[in-house]
């Protein structure tokens, strides 16, 4: 590449060095596989739904789709979680929900991801069906049973309750805490 890649909003070389040290300590090869990602976050032995969700998160962080998360992809993910603006996060959530990558979220995709998240987080005050129906009722403007990126972002930004629910449900700060502390449970 030749040029120095910088992160948006990054003015803290020591912080990047800190993450680099942790990343290399946890992953000496410099390439984090899905298995190592699950191990790092202490998420092995999940039910199939939970596994699907973790694989989706991994695939989205794996920007070049080579089957590994390298350090730049790792930093980009941390940067999104720590410093990302709400519309960047909403685009990320949209990508996470859009399992088939067709540019729209249908009820089946949203239901599947929310069920998977419940399997991992285990705490929500509504069922996956209730959540899915509520989201579509509030933001599927043209009632076609699919949400485009524009409908999703506009709808969530307009509705404070929905925004709070989505950000809490898909909060990645627990993932970040693990990464920051470098904590790894021994088995």
């Amino acid at each position: 590449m030749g040029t120095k890649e910088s992160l948006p909003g990054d003015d803290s070389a020591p912080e990047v060095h800190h993450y680099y040290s942790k990343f290399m300590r946890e992953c000496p090869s410099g390439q984090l596989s899905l298995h190592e990602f699950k191990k790092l976050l202490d998420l092995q032995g999940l039910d199939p739904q939970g596994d699907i969700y973790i694989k989706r998160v991994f695939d989205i962080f794996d920007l070049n789709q080579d089957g590994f998360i390298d350090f730049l992809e790792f930093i980009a993910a941390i940067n999104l979680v720590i410093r990302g603006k709400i519309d960047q996060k909403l685009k990320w959530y949209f990508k996470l929900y859009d399992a088939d990558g067709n540019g729209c979220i249908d009820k089946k995709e949203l239901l599947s991801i929310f069920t998977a998240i419940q399997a991992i987080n285990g705490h929500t005050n509504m069922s996956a069906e209730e959540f899915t129906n509520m989201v579509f009722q509030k933001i599927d403007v043209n009632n076609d049973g699919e949400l485009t990126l524009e409908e999703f972002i506009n709808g969530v930004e307009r509705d404070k309750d929905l925004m709070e629910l989505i950000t809490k449900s898909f909060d990645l700060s627990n993932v970040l805490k693990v990464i920051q502390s470098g904590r790894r449970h021994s088995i």
Side-chain angles (χ1 to χ4, degrees), residues 99-119:
D100 64 7
N102 72 347
C104 290
I105 303 168
D106 61 37
K107 283 188 173 184
K108 199 176 115 228
E109 287 172 318
L110 189 58
L111 186 64
S112 166
I113 285 295
F114 196 73
T115 305
I117 287 165
Q118 283 183 315

Side-chain angles (χ1 to χ4, degrees), residues 5 15 19 42 68 76 95 102 104 126 156 163 177:
E5 295 198 29
E15 186 180 356
Y19 283 122
D42 196 32
F68 295 95
K95 223 172 155 179
N102 72 347
C104 290
M126 67 173 69
V156 174
M163 171 77 82
K177 280 180 199 142

